[in-house]
Amino acid sequence: MRQTTFTKPAEVTRQWYVVDGAGKNLGRLATEVAAVLHGKHKPSFTPNVDCGDYVIVINADQIVLSGNKMEDKMYYNHSQWRGGLRTRSARVMKDQYTIEWVERAIHGMLPHTRLGDVQRGHLFVYKGAEHPHAAQKPVMLEIKG
């Protein structure tokens, strides 16, 4: 007889990964990173337990978009006041708000629940190639494409 095994929060072992964003497509990078943050790459994945790993994204300023998305893609925020809509193009987001640009792409692919809030805290994005997490001994994670 087979039994489904569920991972308990105390049994989770976490790994640190570094992802180099230089020359990578934003969407493809975001899907791979979101899967690692959510824990779907592990055989012990349990949907209601935070079994994901920590991810560090470096060289975020060198991530690219394909086609005309730099000019055509827009990001919207609203203050909930009349006339409070703020619109920014992808180029403005990449040039001025690089970290938020990458985080928004990855955060949108995680669950929008309290569990997703915890998983979002395991993501660290940096513009350059240096990061302050050397003590955690992160492993390089290769992104396809």
Side-chain angles (χ1 to χ4, degrees):
M1 184 163 117
R2 293 186 180 182
Q3 261 187 327
T4 304
T5 57
F6 293 103
T7 306
K8 293 169 183 61
E11 299 171 356
V12 175
T13 57
R14 301 192 192 282
Q15 177 73 33
W16 283 75
Y17 291 104
V18 175
V19 176
D20 189 4
K24 302 287 188 211
N25 190 305
L26 178 64
R28 295 189 187 267
L29 180 130
T31 54
E32 296 277 336
V33 170
V36 172
L37 287 171
H38 196 49
K40 290 198 165 191
H41 65 293
K42 294 182 176 182
S44 62
F45 171 69
T46 306
N48 62 330
V49 175
D50 178 25
C51 54
D53 293 326
Y54 292 89
V55 178
I56 305 162
V57 178
I58 57 173
N59 292 324
D61 54 348
Q62 298 175 24
I63 295 174
V64 297
L65 286 176
S66 61
N68 276 348
K69 290 187 196 128
M70 279 296 188
E71 287 75 29
D72 296 344
K73 184 171 177 63
M74 303 302 276
Y75 289 87
Y76 300 99
N77 291 85
H78 204 287
S79 67
Q80 301 300 316
W81 289 85
R82 190 168 23 149
L85 180 66
R86 181 181 66 210
T87 306
R88 294 180 182 147
S89 68
R91 181 163 311 285
V92 170
M93 289 294 287
K94 182 182 178 189
D95 293 341
Q96 297 177 12
Y97 308 98
T98 309
I99 294 171
E100 181 188 349
W101 181 55
V102 175
E103 284 178 347
R104 281 177 73 158
I106 296 168
H107 289 184
M109 297 180 186
L110 291 172
H112 302 292
T113 59
R114 286 181 289 183
L115 178 62
D117 294 340
V118 173
Q119 292 169 349
R120 281 181 201 74
H122 297 168
L123 174 67
F124 302 92
V125 181
Y126 298 100
K127 276 186 174 184
E130 285 80 33
H131 61 84
H133 304 285
Q136 282 75 25
K137 299 183 182 88
V139 177
M140 200 67 171
L141 179 67
E142 193 59 39
I143 300 295
K144 301 173 200 130

mmCIF file of all heavy atoms in Angstrom, residues 65-76 87-92 95:
data_model
loop_
_atom_site.group_PDB
_atom_site.id
_atom_site.type_symbol
_atom_site.label_atom_id
_atom_site.label_comp_id
_atom_site.label_asym_id
_atom_site.label_seq_id
_atom_site.Cartn_x
_atom_site.Cartn_y
_atom_site.Cartn_z
ATOM 1 N N LEU A 65 14.475 42.173 -21.730
ATOM 2 C CA LEU A 65 13.138 41.826 -22.202
ATOM 3 C C LEU A 65 13.210 41.665 -23.711
ATOM 4 O O LEU A 65 13.970 42.360 -24.376
ATOM 5 C CB LEU A 65 12.131 42.927 -21.862
ATOM 6 C CG LEU A 65 11.690 43.053 -20.419
ATOM 7 C CD1 LEU A 65 10.776 44.253 -20.250
ATOM 8 C CD2 LEU A 65 10.977 41.809 -19.957
ATOM 9 N N SER A 66 12.408 40.770 -24.258
ATOM 10 C CA SER A 66 12.435 40.553 -25.699
ATOM 11 C C SER A 66 11.442 41.465 -26.398
ATOM 12 O O SER A 66 10.497 41.968 -25.791
ATOM 13 C CB SER A 66 12.113 39.084 -26.003
ATOM 14 O OG SER A 66 10.826 38.776 -25.537
ATOM 15 N N GLY A 67 11.660 41.668 -27.675
ATOM 16 C CA GLY A 67 10.741 42.450 -28.490
ATOM 17 C C GLY A 67 10.718 43.924 -28.101
ATOM 18 O O GLY A 67 11.726 44.497 -27.715
ATOM 19 N N ASN A 68 9.547 44.541 -28.231
ATOM 20 C CA ASN A 68 9.371 45.956 -27.908
ATOM 21 C C ASN A 68 8.856 46.173 -26.501
ATOM 22 O O ASN A 68 8.308 47.231 -26.206
ATOM 23 C CB ASN A 68 8.366 46.595 -28.888
ATOM 24 C CG ASN A 68 9.031 47.015 -30.164
ATOM 25 O OD1 ASN A 68 10.257 47.036 -30.248
ATOM 26 N ND2 ASN A 68 8.237 47.340 -31.160
ATOM 27 N N LYS A 69 9.015 45.198 -25.633
ATOM 28 C CA LYS A 69 8.432 45.295 -24.303
ATOM 29 C C LYS A 69 9.009 46.439 -23.474
ATOM 30 O O LYS A 69 8.331 46.939 -22.590
ATOM 31 C CB LYS A 69 8.614 43.980 -23.553
ATOM 32 C CG LYS A 69 7.769 42.873 -24.110
ATOM 33 C CD LYS A 69 7.856 41.647 -23.244
ATOM 34 C CE LYS A 69 7.334 40.452 -23.997
ATOM 35 N NZ LYS A 69 8.231 39.357 -24.011
ATOM 36 N N MET A 70 10.236 46.845 -23.738
ATOM 37 C CA MET A 70 10.820 47.955 -22.965
ATOM 38 C C MET A 70 10.000 49.235 -23.129
ATOM 39 O O MET A 70 9.907 50.024 -22.202
ATOM 40 C CB MET A 70 12.261 48.212 -23.401
ATOM 41 C CG MET A 70 13.237 47.270 -22.781
ATOM 42 S SD MET A 70 13.319 47.450 -21.018
ATOM 43 C CE MET A 70 14.679 46.432 -20.648
ATOM 44 N N GLU A 71 9.418 49.441 -24.300
ATOM 45 C CA GLU A 71 8.608 50.641 -24.521
ATOM 46 C C GLU A 71 7.118 50.364 -24.345
ATOM 47 O O GLU A 71 6.365 51.228 -23.920
ATOM 48 C CB GLU A 71 8.846 51.204 -25.926
ATOM 49 C CG GLU A 71 10.193 51.888 -26.095
ATOM 50 C CD GLU A 71 11.363 50.907 -26.200
ATOM 51 O OE1 GLU A 71 11.147 49.766 -26.685
ATOM 52 O OE2 GLU A 71 12.474 51.265 -25.791
ATOM 53 N N ASP A 72 6.661 49.162 -24.693
ATOM 54 C CA ASP A 72 5.231 48.869 -24.712
ATOM 55 C C ASP A 72 4.686 48.411 -23.363
ATOM 56 O O ASP A 72 3.539 48.702 -23.030
ATOM 57 C CB ASP A 72 4.918 47.798 -25.755
ATOM 58 C CG ASP A 72 5.232 48.269 -27.168
ATOM 59 O OD1 ASP A 72 5.401 49.486 -27.364
ATOM 60 O OD2 ASP A 72 5.327 47.417 -28.070
ATOM 61 N N LYS A 73 5.462 47.666 -22.600
ATOM 62 C CA LYS A 73 4.969 47.121 -21.330
ATOM 63 C C LYS A 73 4.902 48.228 -20.290
ATOM 64 O O LYS A 73 5.853 48.981 -20.107
ATOM 65 C CB LYS A 73 5.889 46.000 -20.852
ATOM 66 C CG LYS A 73 5.408 45.314 -19.590
ATOM 67 C CD LYS A 73 6.236 44.096 -19.308
ATOM 68 C CE LYS A 73 5.839 43.437 -18.021
ATOM 69 N NZ LYS A 73 4.480 42.935 -18.020
ATOM 70 N N MET A 74 3.764 48.303 -19.610
ATOM 71 C CA MET A 74 3.551 49.343 -18.603
ATOM 72 C C MET A 74 3.289 48.700 -17.248
ATOM 73 O O MET A 74 2.699 47.626 -17.154
ATOM 74 C CB MET A 74 2.354 50.230 -18.989
ATOM 75 C CG MET A 74 2.502 50.880 -20.357
ATOM 76 S SD MET A 74 3.960 51.898 -20.500
ATOM 77 C CE MET A 74 3.372 53.400 -19.814
ATOM 78 N N TYR A 75 3.739 49.377 -16.192
ATOM 79 C CA TYR A 75 3.501 48.960 -14.818
ATOM 80 C C TYR A 75 2.608 50.015 -14.175
ATOM 81 O O TYR A 75 2.869 51.211 -14.286
ATOM 82 C CB TYR A 75 4.823 48.847 -14.054
ATOM 83 C CG TYR A 75 5.656 47.676 -14.508
ATOM 84 C CD1 TYR A 75 6.534 47.794 -15.574
ATOM 85 C CD2 TYR A 75 5.550 46.448 -13.880
ATOM 86 C CE1 TYR A 75 7.292 46.715 -16.001
ATOM 87 C CE2 TYR A 75 6.299 45.365 -14.293
ATOM 88 C CZ TYR A 75 7.168 45.507 -15.349
ATOM 89 O OH TYR A 75 7.902 44.431 -15.763
ATOM 90 N N TYR A 76 1.563 49.542 -13.492
ATOM 91 C CA TYR A 76 0.565 50.451 -12.936
ATOM 92 C C TYR A 76 0.530 50.344 -11.421
ATOM 93 O O TYR A 76 0.607 49.255 -10.865
ATOM 94 C CB TYR A 76 -0.828 50.103 -13.483
ATOM 95 C CG TYR A 76 -0.929 50.188 -14.980
ATOM 96 C CD1 TYR A 76 -0.846 49.043 -15.757
ATOM 97 C CD2 TYR A 76 -1.098 51.402 -15.617
ATOM 98 C CE1 TYR A 76 -0.929 49.108 -17.135
ATOM 99 C CE2 TYR A 76 -1.177 51.479 -16.996
ATOM 100 C CZ TYR A 76 -1.103 50.331 -17.747
ATOM 101 O OH TYR A 76 -1.176 50.405 -19.108
ATOM 102 N N THR A 87 1.735 55.429 -13.881
ATOM 103 C CA THR A 87 2.106 54.514 -14.952
ATOM 104 C C THR A 87 3.592 54.674 -15.252
ATOM 105 O O THR A 87 4.082 55.797 -15.381
ATOM 106 C CB THR A 87 1.292 54.832 -16.220
ATOM 107 O OG1 THR A 87 -0.087 54.830 -15.884
ATOM 108 C CG2 THR A 87 1.544 53.804 -17.291
ATOM 109 N N ARG A 88 4.285 53.537 -15.332
ATOM 110 C CA ARG A 88 5.714 53.558 -15.676
ATOM 111 C C ARG A 88 5.961 52.518 -16.754
ATOM 112 O O ARG A 88 5.415 51.420 -16.708
ATOM 113 C CB ARG A 88 6.574 53.198 -14.469
ATOM 114 C CG ARG A 88 6.525 54.185 -13.340
ATOM 115 C CD ARG A 88 7.422 53.675 -12.231
ATOM 116 N NE ARG A 88 7.381 54.558 -11.085
ATOM 117 C CZ ARG A 88 7.496 54.155 -9.835
ATOM 118 N NH1 ARG A 88 7.638 52.882 -9.560
ATOM 119 N NH2 ARG A 88 7.463 55.021 -8.856
ATOM 120 N N SER A 89 6.837 52.838 -17.692
ATOM 121 C CA SER A 89 7.202 51.867 -18.724
ATOM 122 C C SER A 89 8.257 50.911 -18.155
ATOM 123 O O SER A 89 8.875 51.168 -17.125
ATOM 124 C CB SER A 89 7.751 52.576 -19.960
ATOM 125 O OG SER A 89 8.993 53.163 -19.669
ATOM 126 N N ALA A 90 8.468 49.816 -18.863
ATOM 127 C CA ALA A 90 9.465 48.840 -18.424
ATOM 128 C C ALA A 90 10.864 49.442 -18.456
ATOM 129 O O ALA A 90 11.711 49.094 -17.630
ATOM 130 C CB ALA A 90 9.389 47.594 -19.293
ATOM 131 N N ARG A 91 11.118 50.343 -19.392
ATOM 132 C CA ARG A 91 12.435 50.984 -19.446
ATOM 133 C C ARG A 91 12.690 51.829 -18.202
ATOM 134 O O ARG A 91 13.773 51.797 -17.622
ATOM 135 C CB ARG A 91 12.578 51.844 -20.697
ATOM 136 C CG ARG A 91 13.952 52.501 -20.776
ATOM 137 C CD ARG A 91 14.328 53.026 -22.120
ATOM 138 N NE ARG A 91 14.148 52.138 -23.239
ATOM 139 C CZ ARG A 91 14.939 51.090 -23.534
ATOM 140 N NH1 ARG A 91 15.928 50.772 -22.751
ATOM 141 N NH2 ARG A 91 14.713 50.380 -24.608
ATOM 142 N N VAL A 92 11.685 52.587 -17.770
ATOM 143 C CA VAL A 92 11.826 53.404 -16.560
ATOM 144 C C VAL A 92 12.021 52.500 -15.346
ATOM 145 O O VAL A 92 12.861 52.766 -14.484
ATOM 146 C CB VAL A 92 10.592 54.316 -16.379
ATOM 147 C CG1 VAL A 92 10.608 54.993 -15.025
ATOM 148 C CG2 VAL A 92 10.531 55.344 -17.491
ATOM 149 N N ASP A 95 15.613 51.139 -15.468
ATOM 150 C CA ASP A 95 16.656 52.125 -15.239
ATOM 151 C C ASP A 95 16.642 52.687 -13.820
ATOM 152 O O ASP A 95 17.698 52.890 -13.220
ATOM 153 C CB ASP A 95 16.521 53.267 -16.244
ATOM 154 C CG ASP A 95 16.804 52.810 -17.667
ATOM 155 O OD1 ASP A 95 17.438 51.750 -17.829
ATOM 156 O OD2 ASP A 95 16.391 53.512 -18.612
#
